[in-house]
Amino acid sequence: MSKLVFITGASSGIGQALAVRFFQAGYRLALAARRTSEVDAWALAQGIKADSYQVYSADVSDSHSIVAAGQACLAAQGVPDVVIANAGISIGMDTAVREDLDVMAQTFATNNVGLAATFHPFVDAMTQRGAGTLVGIGSVAGIRGLPGHGAYCASKAAVIAYCESLRGELRASGVKVLTLCPGYIDTPLTRKNRYAMPFLMQPADFADQAFAAIEAGASYRVIPWQMGVVAKLLRLLPNALLDKALAGRPRKHRQAEQ
């Protein structure tokens, strides 16, 4: 039987691009999304055969929902070879605004608790098999904090630290953990950004490089590599210089401004 990949956030952007790339490589697809009918319509348009994929209805911000989707996948399709916790949200926030605290809670529920809940159903099964890869989608935004982007930056920094912790926990089990940190990818999440996005990539190009990193057994990868260089330089900048460099940078749209 061909290999199996489980992908969250499969209804748009990076999730769809990853699904296409894995299908092209001969994988069966397990796709988790809230908008299942849209995924079915998209798969048909892509020429993905009905017996090559299955869609699971799931809201990643609801742990019970995404855990149930993972359990359904195990029952229907077996243990995945690769699990990609891709679903995430990006909303600007202002700590002085009360409702934006709820935005931060929503961001962490999706980007962090949802990521762990995505992995949860598969950890024991992969460990018993002694093989598998868990992929967490972080971001270069998790390397330094950006003004107005506190919830997203903090959540992605947490993704990076969480995946590093999980990698150490599973090191002896044969299960690999890969942290992927995209730069700017042309998706619905980024098109409303009102600031410059250097090295902007198309989702298909990101998916090609992500697939290569997964197949190579990497543990950490920034895509594209140019953003990795930028991120390292930003990490080395003293706070005073970073603050000066970011002064006047437009802030991320808040939820009320969407």
Side-chain angles (χ1 to χ4, degrees):
M1 185 176 292
S2 59
K3 291 183 178 181
L4 174 66
V5 59
F6 182 93
I7 305 172
T8 63
S11 59
S12 66
I14 287 175
Q16 287 187 345
L18 287 167
V20 169
R21 184 63 185 85
F22 275 86
F23 175 72
Q24 291 171 343
Y27 278 70
R28 293 175 295 128
L29 307 178
L31 307 176
R34 288 179 298 173
R35 304 185 294 273
T36 58
S37 60
E38 292 184 17
V39 176
D40 279 321
W42 167 82
L44 179 64
Q46 293 293 320
I48 298 176
K49 297 178 182 179
D51 61 356
S52 297
Y53 78 98
Q54 191 154 331
V55 185
Y56 301 92
S57 177
D59 180 351
V60 175
S61 66
D62 179 342
S63 294
H64 295 294
S65 175
I66 187 59
V67 167
Q71 292 170 338
C73 171
L74 289 170
Q77 295 177 281
V79 183
D81 298 274
V82 180
V83 173
I84 305 177
N86 163 72
I89 59 174
S90 175
I91 307 171
M93 71 168 291
D94 184 340
T95 305
V97 179
R98 171 60 186 87
E99 55 264 33
D100 282 10
L101 300 182
D102 299 328
V103 167
M104 189 170 198
Q106 178 188 7
T107 301
F108 271 77
T110 302
N111 294 1
N112 303 108
V113 180
L115 180 141
T118 297
F119 291 160
H120 165 76
F122 304 111
V123 171
D124 283 346
M126 284 185 167
T127 298
Q128 290 171 15
R129 186 179 58 191
T133 302
L134 302 172
V135 183
I137 303 296
S139 171
V140 293
I143 296 171
R144 292 300 301 252
L146 304 173
H149 220 349
Y152 184 72
C153 289
S155 75
K156 290 304 185 179
V159 167
I160 294 168
Y162 167 80
C163 287
E164 188 170 46
S165 298
L166 187 62
R167 187 176 74 246
E169 294 167 14
L170 297 177
R171 183 177 60 85
S173 71
V175 179
K176 297 181 174 65
V177 179
L178 165 59
T179 309
L180 286 178
C181 291
Y184 293 111
I185 313 297
D186 183 15
T187 70
L189 274 181
T190 60
R191 286 172 194 152
K192 291 184 179 180
N193 287 346
R194 47 194 176 190
Y195 42 79
M197 294 184 286
F199 310 115
L200 182 69
M201 293 185 76
Q202 293 303 309
D205 295 328
F206 169 81
D208 283 342
Q209 294 189 34
F211 181 82
I214 293 166
E215 291 289 293
S219 61
Y220 181 88
R221 188 71 56 86
V222 177
I223 301 173
W225 67 266
Q226 293 95 331
M227 285 301 295
V229 174
V230 171
K232 286 182 179 180
L233 292 175
L234 288 175
R235 184 70 267 174
L236 293 172
L237 272 184
N239 288 346
L241 290 179
L242 178 70
D243 293 345
K244 185 175 181 180
L246 296 177
R249 184 179 188 268
R251 295 164 68 97
K252 179 78 176 178
H253 284 88
R254 294 175 49 249
Q255 192 166 58
E257 301 168 335
Q258 298 290 330

